[in-house]
């Protein structure tokens, strides 16, 4: 009938002031929960330990190299005592979650913590069921979990299922081994906060693919490395020139070689974005620029 085809009114989009008010309420609720948490109080008549004399700081090691981060995140030792319920956010709450907030402030937002707590619970449950899915430190981080939430418009169930499937995909394709090789080839960027990559093209095959299909996210230097291409805001730029692609050279490389190189490039881009997110305390986007000249 015509009545059934009448469009239904949409819920009004929350104003910016409403978003700020909801964010403030979320932060207040989180603070109240922390304040209400029972503290372990010592008995009034418990003997107090004697004051300890101050100890001098240990001597600094001479030019000791920074320890490398572990490749795999610590595995959960037991299943969560109580499953975390899938969060259901209202339209207004989704607008709050979409509003950029520094990752260092996520812990002070009840909404952000509710979303991440569910993702962590699903991650740990998947690893407990299949320890071979144990994620790398980067893949287990809140930064990666948050990207899955953003990709699914903050539908927790969809985001968690996509994340677990990504863990299975990485296992099938040996992506964690690729991650290890990429970090080892670029230690200054990943451990010393350098602004350039020492070896962005890991193999000769990668160099051949970049030559056959011109694209880059760094300025090439004589030594094979290169400075990252960042805009004024610190966002990563990825420039492609499809008109200059050499179709014959791409075909000569073969589909398997081309795909393997593409996967290495995408893993490096994600690792670089993770590092930039940590340094900038935000989630910088990747901008792809197409050139046809």
């Amino acid at each position: 009938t015509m009545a059934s085809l009448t469009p239904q009114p949409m819920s009004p989009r929350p104003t910016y002031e409403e978003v700020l008010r909801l964010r403030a309420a979320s932060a207040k609720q989180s603070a109240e929960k922390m304040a209400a948490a029972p503290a372990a109080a010592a008995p009034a008549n418990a003997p107090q330990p004697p004051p300890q004399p101050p100890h001098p700081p240990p001597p600094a090691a001479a030019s000791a190299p920074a320890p490398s981060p572990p490749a795999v995140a610590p595995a959960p030792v037991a299943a969560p005592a109580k499953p975390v319920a899938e969060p259901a956010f209202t339209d207004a709450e989704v607008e709050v979650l979409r509003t950029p907030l520094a990752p260092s402030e996520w812990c002070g937002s009840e909404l952000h913590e509710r979303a991440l707590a569910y993702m962590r619970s699903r991650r740990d449950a998947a690893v407990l069921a299949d320890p071979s899915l144990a994620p790398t430190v980067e893949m287990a981080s809140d930064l990666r979990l948050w990207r899955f939430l953003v990709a699914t418009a903050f539908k927790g169930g969809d985001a968690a299922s996509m994340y677990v499937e990504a863990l299975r995909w990485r296992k099938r394709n040996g992506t964690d081994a690729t991650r290890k090789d990429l970090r080892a080839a670029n230690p200054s960027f990943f451990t010393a906060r350098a602004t350039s990559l020492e070896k962005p093209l890991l193999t000769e095959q990668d160099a051949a693919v970049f030559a056959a299909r011109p694209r880059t996210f760094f300025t090439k230097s004589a030594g094979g490395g290169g400075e990252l291409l960042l805009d004024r805001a610190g966002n990563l730029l990825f420039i492609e020139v499809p008109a200059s692609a050499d179709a014959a050279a791409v075909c000569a490389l073969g589909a398997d070689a081309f795909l393997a190189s593409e996967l290495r490039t995408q893993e490096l881009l994600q690792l670089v974005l993770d590092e930039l997110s940590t340094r900038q305390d935000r989630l910088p986007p990747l901008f792809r620029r197409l050139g046809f000249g």
Side-chain angles (χ1 to χ4, degrees):
T1 63
M2 294 298 296
S4 62
L5 298 177
T6 303
Q8 299 299 314
M10 298 179 64
S11 57
R13 183 183 179 91
T15 64
Y16 183 67
E17 289 75 13
E18 290 173 333
V19 169
L20 293 179
R21 187 163 55 252
L22 284 167
R23 176 179 287 180
S26 175
K28 180 180 178 182
Q29 184 176 356
S30 179
E32 290 175 347
K33 285 185 178 180
M34 294 178 63
N45 59 352
Q48 300 296 319
Q52 298 295 322
H55 294 281
S63 64
S68 300
V72 179
V77 296
K82 183 178 180 181
V84 177
E86 178 182 346
F89 299 111
T90 65
D91 291 344
E93 289 173 332
V94 169
E95 286 300 318
V96 174
L97 294 170
R98 283 176 173 164
T99 306
L101 181 68
S104 62
E105 299 179 18
W106 288 350
C107 59
S109 166
E110 187 273 336
L111 289 177
H112 289 70
E113 183 57 30
R114 199 192 329 159
L116 288 169
Y118 176 72
M119 293 292 291
R120 298 183 199 117
S121 173
R122 288 285 301 273
R123 174 199 64 198
D124 293 348
V127 174
L128 285 167
D130 182 358
S132 69
L133 296 181
T136 62
V137 171
E138 298 87 3
M139 192 65 184
S141 70
D142 284 355
L143 291 173
R144 291 280 183 102
L145 297 177
W146 191 258
R147 292 185 186 277
F148 284 88
L149 286 164
V150 171
T152 56
F154 296 96
K155 295 179 174 62
D158 294 345
S161 297
M162 182 187 294
Y163 175 81
V164 173
E165 182 55 36
L167 294 180
R168 297 191 182 103
W169 181 90
R170 293 178 67 88
K171 174 185 174 182
R172 290 194 303 269
N173 290 277
T175 310
D176 290 351
T178 299
R179 171 261 184 198
K180 181 179 179 181
D181 293 340
L182 290 168
R183 287 188 60 97
N186 299 278
S188 296
F189 179 79
F190 290 113
T191 63
R193 301 180 69 86
T195 58
S196 60
L197 296 167
E198 291 130 308
K199 196 173 183 181
L201 302 179
L202 197 59
T203 68
E204 293 182 1
Q205 187 180 82
D206 295 339
V209 169
F210 267 61
R213 183 186 171 193
R215 62 248 179 87
T216 190
F217 56 95
F218 57 90
T219 58
K220 297 180 180 179
S221 64
E227 194 84 8
L228 289 178
L229 292 177
L230 303 176
D231 64 13
R232 293 181 180 179
N235 303 314
L236 186 61
L237 303 178
F238 190 93
I239 301 174
E240 299 184 70
V241 189
S244 299
D246 187 339
V250 171
C251 292
L253 288 167
D256 291 341
F258 186 88
L259 178 59
S261 177
E262 183 69 17
L263 293 180
R264 281 191 292 271
T265 298
Q266 295 305 316
E267 179 66 9
L268 178 57
L269 285 171
Q270 187 58 68
L271 289 170
V272 168
L273 286 173
D274 287 339
E275 181 65 22
L276 293 177
S277 298
T278 301
R279 296 184 191 185
Q280 300 176 14
D281 196 20
R282 68 187 187 97
L283 298 181
L286 169 68
F287 288 112
R288 293 184 179 269
R289 306 289 186 180
L290 295 180
F292 298 95

